[in-house]
Amino acid sequence: MAPFPYRTFTTCGLGEARRFELWEQHNEETLVRLACRTLSQESFAGWETSVRVGEFKIANITATAHVVERDRRLIRRDESDRVALYLTLFGEAFFYHGKGIQLQQPGMLLVCDLDQPFLRGFAKGLREYVLMVPKPTFEELTGRAVPSAPMTRRFSLTDTTGSPAAELARLLRDVLAAPVQAGPGTEARIRTLLTDLAEKDRRPLAAEHRRRVLAHIDEHLADRELTTSTVAAAVGLSNRQLTRVFSEGGGVGRVIRERRLRSAYEQLTADPGAPISRVAHACGFASHAHFSRAFRERYGVPPSEIRAV
């Protein structure tokens, strides 16, 4: 088996004037485009080992004090469509993003969207493992949309309790130590650990998604353009995720139809004098005839008989 692409790079031995330029260039080629600088006149030094395992990018980075930034200008020039997992091994840092500041300490895993602007600062330097995951893969494996704000987990390389974060950190360590041994089994293991990492959040998250989706549907029953795609966009989910949340209920389209019919039934029984066409329109049905057919299929009688009760 041919080895996976593997690279090492260091700024040591380079002229001071070109260190950041070449560091940025290397990171653009192996991970993602970032702008780097120091907040003082101190010399900068950085070391990086990087490897690709299938669709994943992995790196071990050590560097002295500096700041990295990925602003909207860089994102427009270089949209990554990836999620980054930063696993801090040494050094404290801040992660400044559009919704606040997240402090990072050794033993913290931070997940962020590389197409959202951020600023990271390392006052005393850093050492970290990095895992880059394509967004569609992240959503498929975790069952959740890419977070708009960073997520965090704790990990320890010495944790033997089966923690997915700890196992992921050890796997990245082993891959970087022996990249030629990485193969399809390693890629599959990364995928499994990403799924396991999200497992404890999946049920409450799915329940929250369901609550928000149902609230949106109920508020927009009269909208004839209410579809899986429009609902997904409104609540910040992908079509795939939304379909997964309602897979046991026959799909989002069935849920919309059922809630429209239930609302119509409640309106007709509460106000027997209400015109059927008005109720049909208020519940999002395209025509009186369509509503009557759907109502009879659901309740076994035409809406006129419910109104007469």
Side-chain angles (χ1 to χ4, degrees), residues 71-187:
D71 60 17
R72 295 195 182 281
R73 177 184 59 85
L74 281 181
I75 293 169
R76 284 195 296 269
R77 292 171 54 192
D78 176 40
E79 188 170 325
S80 75
D81 199 34
R82 288 182 179 269
V83 177
L85 283 74
Y86 295 112
L87 293 85
T88 303
L89 303 172
F90 167 82
E92 295 186 344
F94 71 83
F95 186 98
Y96 177 77
H97 55 97
K99 296 187 177 181
I101 298 177
Q102 176 68 56
L103 298 180
Q104 290 180 261
Q105 296 177 323
M108 178 176 288
L109 182 160
L110 183 144
V111 183
C112 72
D113 182 353
L114 289 173
D115 291 328
Q116 294 291 329
F118 64 81
L119 180 73
R120 301 182 74 205
F122 314 97
K124 296 182 180 180
L126 84 149
R127 183 175 174 232
E128 67 182 6
Y129 296 145
V130 182
L131 173 64
M132 300 285 188
V133 183
K135 287 184 183 179
T137 300
F138 180 88
E139 293 186 346
E140 171 196 345
L141 297 177
T142 65
R144 66 187 307 164
V146 176
S148 58
M151 299 165 32
T152 60
R153 294 286 184 276
R154 301 297 302 182
F155 75 91
S156 170
L157 288 171
T158 60
D159 183 352
T160 59
T161 63
S163 159
E167 292 194 24
L168 179 62
R170 286 194 291 270
L171 178 61
L172 299 183
R173 177 196 63 190
D174 295 345
V175 168
L176 290 159
V180 295
Q181 297 179 20
T186 302
E187 183 179 8

Side-chain angles (χ1 to χ4, degrees), residues 177-215:
V180 295
Q181 297 179 20
T186 302
E187 183 179 8
R189 183 60 179 152
I190 293 173
R191 292 175 64 90
T192 297
L193 288 173
L194 288 173
T195 298
D196 292 345
L197 197 63
E199 185 62 37
K200 69 176 184 179
D201 295 332
R202 183 164 293 137
R203 288 186 179 180
L205 185 66
E208 173 61 16
H209 287 336
R210 188 177 184 88
R211 184 193 65 77
R212 291 193 293 120
V213 167
L214 293 178

Side-chain angles (χ1 to χ4, degrees), residues 7-75:
R7 292 183 61 179
T8 60
F9 179 81
T10 179
T11 62
C12 295
L14 300 176
E16 288 287 342
R18 298 200 64 201
R19 286 193 176 191
F20 273 130
E21 174 190 349
L22 295 175
W23 182 253
E24 290 175 353
Q25 179 180 318
H26 172 77
N27 277 279
E28 179 181 352
E29 294 171 355
T30 57
L31 295 174
V32 69
R33 185 195 295 259
L34 295 168
C36 308
R37 66 181 186 275
T38 58
L39 298 180
S40 67
Q41 298 302 315
E42 294 183 8
S43 177
F44 169 77
W47 301 262
E48 181 181 307
T49 299
S50 57
V51 61
R52 293 197 65 151
V53 178
E55 61 183 336
F56 302 111
K57 296 180 179 181
I58 302 170
N60 181 355
I61 300 175
T62 302
T64 55
H66 69 294
V67 174
V68 300
E69 183 174 11
R70 186 162 169 80
D71 60 17
R72 295 195 182 281
R73 177 184 59 85
L74 281 181
I75 293 169

Side-chain angles (χ1 to χ4, degrees), residues 171-279:
L171 178 61
L172 299 183
R173 177 196 63 190
D174 295 345
V175 168
L176 290 159
V180 295
Q181 297 179 20
T186 302
E187 183 179 8
R189 183 60 179 152
I190 293 173
R191 292 175 64 90
T192 297
L193 288 173
L194 288 173
T195 298
D196 292 345
L197 197 63
E199 185 62 37
K200 69 176 184 179
D201 295 332
R202 183 164 293 137
R203 288 186 179 180
L205 185 66
E208 173 61 16
H209 287 336
R210 188 177 184 88
R211 184 193 65 77
R212 291 193 293 120
V213 167
L214 293 178
H216 179 80
I217 290 173
D218 288 342
E219 291 172 6
H220 296 83
L221 285 178
D223 183 0
R224 297 180 186 176
E225 301 302 319
L226 197 63
T227 64
T228 298
S229 296
T230 61
V231 172
V235 299
L237 297 176
S238 67
N239 284 4
R240 180 189 300 170
Q241 287 179 293
L242 183 58
T243 299
R244 183 183 296 120
V245 170
F246 286 91
S247 60
E248 296 182 1
V252 180
R254 184 181 180 89
V255 170
I256 293 173
R257 175 187 172 96
E258 178 63 26
R259 293 179 88 83
R260 280 176 166 161
L261 288 169
R262 188 181 70 181
S263 177
Y265 184 95
E266 292 172 351
Q267 291 183 45
L268 289 171
T269 54
D271 183 8
I276 292 176
S277 58
R278 190 185 73 189
V279 172

